[in-house]
Each structure stands twice: as structure tokens, then as C-alpha cells.
Amino acid sequence: MGSAATVYLVDDDSAFLVAMSRFLRAAGFLVVACQSARDLLSQVCVQTRGCVVADLDMPGVTGLELQALLVARDVAMPVVFLTGHGDIPSSVRAMREGAVDFLEKLAPREQLTAAIARALERDAQMHAERMRLEERRRRLAALTEREREVLALVVRGKMNKQIAATLGIHERTVKLHRTAITSKLGVHAVAQLAVLVSEAHIFDTPPQPRAGP
């Protein structure tokens, strides 16, 4: 599906699916109706924006199983559960796994629209964070191998002279690499560089010295 934030409504009850889809569209939401968990899973991917409003008690793949499958596929859309009856153990499990809300189908419609609004807001926040992280990773990917080696030592608190000795290069060369790093990343403070590197998870092992500048 496209990048627009969409409410994916999942329920095996066709009459309820049609009626709820109409209500949500009238309330101003973009809605995709799915008659089963499998139907939903065939339409979403990592990039899909929006939220899922799912029936808890569906045949085949249940609502809770659908929630687990979405997580396993890295589909980060928030979930709102609907149920025909109160189910405290299931509601506790759903909320523990990150569901936005757990409502009975007969709950006031205002509660449902409010829960969906919160779910879409959470999706927007997660999307913004993903975009920010992708941009940082893109900038980090622009660094040369040597610049990455220098950066790894900078964020570990090493001084230019120590970095030069570790990598077997001149201190002046280290300074030139640091200038290139700050220019490409748009970050100058060592603390900010450390945060950027930590969030991007780019250094799993310390750099190994190699020949050349």
C-alpha cells in the first residue's frame, strides 16, 4: 500500500466490517477493510503507514497472533483491538505487546475514534523517528573507510595524537579526516557524534589499523 496513514480494519464479520468501514470513513479516516489476518498481511509491509483495528476473536489467525506476526515482519503499525466480550487476560497481553487500546465492540464510537487518533499519532511519531534514523545512516554511509575508523576512535574519547598512533597515520591527517567527518555528518561536538553513532549501531568491533592515509 502507499505511504498515506491508513486505518486497516480487520474483522471476519462482513456486516460489521462494512458498517464500521462506513462509520470510520464518515469520521474522516482513510480505511482499508480486511476480512482476515491473512488478507491484511498480504497488503502491508515495513513501509506501510497507519494503524490496525482488529477483531480479537477471528478464526484461523486470531487478533493476538496477528499482532505477533506484524512484529515478526517488522511492520510497526500500532494496533487497537476490538472484542465482542471483555477478556482481561487477553487485554493484558495485548497491551503488554504494545497495543494502543482494547475496546469492546459496543463501546461508544467516540472511544474508538479517540483510540484510532492516538494510534495514528503514535505511527506518525515512529515514522518521524525512522526517517531521522535513516537520514543519519545515509550520512554515515557517505564516510570513507578511513573516516569511519577515525570516527570510531573519536567517539571512544581518543585524542588526535592517540588516533594517529592507533591508525599509523600523521596527526595532521587525523585532523583532516575529522573535518571531513563533521562536514558530512553536520555534527561537531563529540557527545553528539557519540549519540549519532550509538543510535545508528554502526560499530560492533573496534577499528583495526591499516596502511595508508
Side-chain angles (χ1 to χ4, degrees):
M1 299 298 294
S3 60
T6 302
V7 178
Y8 290 85
L9 183 61
V10 190
D11 201 301
D12 62 299
D13 183 334
S14 298
F16 178 83
L17 192 64
V18 170
M20 184 56 69
S21 296
R22 288 175 178 169
F23 167 75
L24 292 177
R25 290 188 180 108
F29 297 107
L30 181 62
V31 179
V32 171
C34 306
Q35 290 192 311
S36 68
R38 296 298 181 191
D39 187 11
L40 169 70
L41 292 171
S42 70
Q43 301 186 59
V44 299
C45 64
V46 174
Q47 290 79 26
T48 305
R49 295 285 315 283
C51 70
V52 175
V53 179
D55 182 16
L56 179 69
D57 304 307
M58 293 184 291
V61 179
T62 67
L64 289 175
E65 290 170 341
L66 171 60
Q67 184 183 29
L69 286 170
L70 289 171
V71 171
R73 299 184 182 197
D74 290 327
V75 179
M77 287 190 296
V79 179
V80 175
F81 281 112
L82 300 178
T83 180
H85 54 83
D87 185 339
I88 294 177
S90 294
S91 66
V92 170
R93 177 183 167 188
M95 300 302 284
R96 188 174 294 161
E97 295 297 326
V100 173
D101 213 335
F102 190 100
L103 302 172
E104 292 192 17
K105 288 186 175 181
L106 296 180
R109 290 293 185 250
E110 311 87 72
Q111 289 187 18
L112 176 58
T113 54
I116 291 174
R118 290 196 303 274
L120 292 176
E121 176 60 25
R122 183 187 293 184
D123 174 72
Q125 293 172 352
M126 292 190 300
H127 177 70
E129 177 61 22
R130 287 195 299 271
M131 292 299 99
R132 185 178 69 86
L133 185 57
E134 286 180 12
E135 171 61 16
R136 290 190 168 189
R137 286 176 173 164
R138 184 189 65 78
R139 291 187 181 188
L140 286 164
L143 299 180
T144 66
E145 182 180 352
R146 180 60 91 193
E147 288 166 354
R148 288 167 66 90
E149 291 173 341
V150 171
L151 176 60
L153 293 169
V154 167
V155 299
R156 290 168 57 195
K158 301 298 183 180
M159 304 299 290
N160 288 348
K161 185 177 293 186
Q162 294 171 307
I163 295 173
T166 299
L167 299 180
I169 58 179
H170 293 292
E171 187 175 348
R172 177 176 173 77
T173 304
V174 173
K175 293 178 180 179
L176 291 173
H177 284 312
R178 291 189 67 161
T179 298
I181 290 168
T182 56
S183 176
K184 291 179 179 180
L185 300 184
V187 175
H188 294 79
V190 173
Q192 293 177 317
L193 285 171
V195 171
L196 186 155
V197 167
S198 175
E199 290 181 344
H201 303 290
I202 63 168
F203 297 132
D204 296 324
T205 58
Q208 299 299 316
R210 66 177 178 84

CSV table of all heavy atoms in Angstrom, one decimal, residues 142-165:
chain,number,residue,atom,x,y,z
A,142,ALA,N,28.1,7.8,3.8
A,142,ALA,CA,28.9,8.6,2.9
A,142,ALA,C,30.4,8.7,3.4
A,142,ALA,O,31.2,9.2,2.6
A,142,ALA,CB,28.3,10.0,2.8
A,143,LEU,N,30.7,8.3,4.6
A,143,LEU,CA,32.0,8.3,5.1
A,143,LEU,C,32.9,7.3,4.4
A,143,LEU,O,32.4,6.2,4.1
A,143,LEU,CB,32.1,8.1,6.6
A,143,LEU,CG,31.3,9.1,7.5
A,143,LEU,CD1,31.4,8.6,9.0
A,143,LEU,CD2,31.8,10.5,7.3
A,144,THR,N,34.2,7.6,4.2
A,144,THR,CA,35.1,6.7,3.7
A,144,THR,C,35.5,5.7,4.8
A,144,THR,O,35.2,5.9,6.0
A,144,THR,CB,36.4,7.3,3.2
A,144,THR,OG1,37.1,7.9,4.3
A,144,THR,CG2,36.1,8.4,2.2
A,145,GLU,N,36.1,4.6,4.4
A,145,GLU,CA,36.5,3.6,5.4
A,145,GLU,C,37.5,4.2,6.5
A,145,GLU,O,37.3,4.0,7.7
A,145,GLU,CB,37.3,2.4,4.7
A,145,GLU,CG,37.7,1.3,5.7
A,145,GLU,CD,38.4,0.2,5.0
A,145,GLU,OE1,38.4,0.2,3.7
A,145,GLU,OE2,38.9,-0.7,5.7
A,146,ARG,N,38.4,5.1,6.0
A,146,ARG,CA,39.3,5.7,7.0
A,146,ARG,C,38.6,6.7,7.9
A,146,ARG,O,38.8,6.7,9.1
A,146,ARG,CB,40.4,6.4,6.2
A,146,ARG,CG,41.4,7.1,7.2
A,146,ARG,CD,42.1,6.1,8.1
A,146,ARG,NE,43.3,5.6,7.5
A,146,ARG,CZ,44.0,4.5,8.0
A,146,ARG,NH1,43.5,3.9,9.1
A,146,ARG,NH2,45.1,4.1,7.5
A,147,GLU,N,37.6,7.4,7.4
A,147,GLU,CA,36.8,8.3,8.2
A,147,GLU,C,36.0,7.6,9.2
A,147,GLU,O,35.9,8.0,10.4
A,147,GLU,CB,35.9,9.2,7.3
A,147,GLU,CG,36.7,10.2,6.4
A,147,GLU,CD,35.9,10.8,5.3
A,147,GLU,OE1,34.7,10.3,5.1
A,147,GLU,OE2,36.3,11.7,4.6
A,148,ARG,N,35.5,6.4,8.9
A,148,ARG,CA,34.8,5.6,9.8
A,148,ARG,C,35.7,5.1,10.9
A,148,ARG,O,35.3,5.1,12.1
A,148,ARG,CB,34.1,4.4,9.1
A,148,ARG,CG,32.9,4.8,8.3
A,148,ARG,CD,32.5,3.7,7.3
A,148,ARG,NE,32.0,2.6,8.1
A,148,ARG,CZ,30.7,2.4,8.5
A,148,ARG,NH1,29.8,3.3,8.1
A,148,ARG,NH2,30.3,1.4,9.1
A,149,GLU,N,36.9,4.8,10.6
A,149,GLU,CA,37.9,4.3,11.6
A,149,GLU,C,38.2,5.5,12.6
A,149,GLU,O,38.3,5.3,13.8
A,149,GLU,CB,39.2,3.8,10.9
A,149,GLU,CG,39.0,2.5,10.1
A,149,GLU,CD,40.2,2.2,9.3
A,149,GLU,OE1,41.1,3.0,9.1
A,149,GLU,OE2,40.3,1.0,8.9
A,150,VAL,N,38.4,6.7,12.0
A,150,VAL,CA,38.7,7.8,12.9
A,150,VAL,C,37.5,8.1,13.7
A,150,VAL,O,37.7,8.4,15.0
A,150,VAL,CB,39.1,9.0,12.0
A,150,VAL,CG1,39.1,10.3,12.8
A,150,VAL,CG2,40.4,8.8,11.3
A,151,LEU,N,36.3,8.1,13.2
A,151,LEU,CA,35.1,8.4,13.9
A,151,LEU,C,34.9,7.4,15.1
A,151,LEU,O,34.6,7.8,16.2
A,151,LEU,CB,33.9,8.3,13.0
A,151,LEU,CG,32.5,8.5,13.7
A,151,LEU,CD1,32.4,9.8,14.4
A,151,LEU,CD2,31.4,8.3,12.7
A,152,ALA,N,35.2,6.1,14.8
A,152,ALA,CA,35.1,5.1,15.9
A,152,ALA,C,36.0,5.4,17.1
A,152,ALA,O,35.6,5.2,18.2
A,152,ALA,CB,35.4,3.7,15.3
A,153,LEU,N,37.1,6.0,16.8
A,153,LEU,CA,38.1,6.3,17.9
A,153,LEU,C,37.7,7.6,18.6
A,153,LEU,O,37.9,7.8,19.8
A,153,LEU,CB,39.5,6.4,17.3
A,153,LEU,CG,40.0,5.0,16.9
A,153,LEU,CD1,41.3,5.1,16.1
A,153,LEU,CD2,40.2,4.1,18.1
A,154,VAL,N,37.2,8.6,17.8
A,154,VAL,CA,36.8,9.9,18.3
A,154,VAL,C,35.7,9.7,19.4
A,154,VAL,O,35.7,10.2,20.5
A,154,VAL,CB,36.3,10.8,17.2
A,154,VAL,CG1,35.5,12.0,17.8
A,154,VAL,CG2,37.4,11.3,16.3
A,155,VAL,N,34.7,8.8,19.0
A,155,VAL,CA,33.5,8.7,20.0
A,155,VAL,C,33.9,7.8,21.2
A,155,VAL,O,33.2,7.8,22.2
A,155,VAL,CB,32.3,8.0,19.2
A,155,VAL,CG1,31.8,8.9,18.1
A,155,VAL,CG2,32.7,6.6,18.7
A,156,ARG,N,35.1,7.2,21.1
A,156,ARG,CA,35.6,6.5,22.3
A,156,ARG,C,36.5,7.4,23.2
A,156,ARG,O,37.1,7.0,24.1
A,156,ARG,CB,36.4,5.3,21.9
A,156,ARG,CG,35.6,4.1,21.3
A,156,ARG,CD,36.4,3.1,20.6
A,156,ARG,NE,37.4,2.5,21.5
A,156,ARG,CZ,38.4,1.8,21.1
A,156,ARG,NH1,38.6,1.5,19.8
A,156,ARG,NH2,39.3,1.2,22.0
A,157,GLY,N,36.5,8.7,22.8
A,157,GLY,CA,37.2,9.7,23.6
A,157,GLY,C,38.7,9.8,23.3
A,157,GLY,O,39.4,10.5,24.1
A,158,LYS,N,39.2,9.2,22.2
A,158,LYS,CA,40.6,9.3,21.9
A,158,LYS,C,41.0,10.7,21.3
A,158,LYS,O,40.2,11.3,20.6
A,158,LYS,CB,41.0,8.3,20.9
A,158,LYS,CG,40.7,6.8,21.3
A,158,LYS,CD,41.5,6.4,22.5
A,158,LYS,CE,41.3,5.0,22.9
A,158,LYS,NZ,42.0,4.6,24.1
A,159,MET,N,42.2,11.2,21.7
A,159,MET,CA,42.7,12.4,21.2
A,159,MET,C,43.3,12.2,19.8
A,159,MET,O,43.6,11.1,19.5
A,159,MET,CB,43.7,13.0,22.2
A,159,MET,CG,43.2,13.2,23.6
A,159,MET,SD,41.8,14.3,23.7
A,159,MET,CE,42.6,15.9,23.3
A,160,ASN,N,43.5,13.3,19.1
A,160,ASN,CA,44.1,13.2,17.8
A,160,ASN,C,45.4,12.4,17.7
A,160,ASN,O,45.7,11.6,16.9
A,160,ASN,CB,44.3,14.6,17.1
A,160,ASN,CG,43.0,15.2,16.8
A,160,ASN,OD1,42.0,14.6,16.7
A,160,ASN,ND2,43.0,16.5,16.5
A,161,LYS,N,46.3,12.7,18.7
A,161,LYS,CA,47.6,12.1,18.8
A,161,LYS,C,47.4,10.5,19.0
A,161,LYS,O,48.1,9.7,18.4
A,161,LYS,CB,48.4,12.6,19.9
A,161,LYS,CG,49.9,12.1,19.9
A,161,LYS,CD,50.7,12.8,21.0
A,161,LYS,CE,50.9,14.2,20.7
A,161,LYS,NZ,51.8,14.9,21.7
A,162,GLN,N,46.5,10.2,19.8
A,162,GLN,CA,46.2,8.7,20.1
A,162,GLN,C,45.6,8.1,18.9
A,162,GLN,O,46.0,6.9,18.5
A,162,GLN,CB,45.3,8.6,21.3
A,162,GLN,CG,45.8,9.1,22.6
A,162,GLN,CD,44.8,9.1,23.7
A,162,GLN,OE1,43.7,9.7,23.5
A,162,GLN,NE2,45.0,8.4,24.8
A,163,ILE,N,44.7,8.8,18.2
A,163,ILE,CA,44.1,8.2,17.0
A,163,ILE,C,45.2,8.0,15.9
A,163,ILE,O,45.3,6.9,15.2
A,163,ILE,CB,43.0,9.1,16.4
A,163,ILE,CG1,41.9,9.2,17.4
A,163,ILE,CG2,42.5,8.7,15.0
A,163,ILE,CD1,40.8,10.3,17.1
A,164,ALA,N,46.1,9.0,15.7
A,164,ALA,CA,47.2,8.9,14.8
A,164,ALA,C,48.1,7.6,15.1
A,164,ALA,O,48.4,6.9,14.2
A,164,ALA,CB,48.0,10.1,14.8
A,165,ALA,N,48.4,7.4,16.3
A,165,ALA,CA,49.2,6.3,16.7
A,165,ALA,C,48.5,5.0,16.5
A,165,ALA,O,49.1,4.0,16.0
A,165,ALA,CB,49.6,6.4,18.2
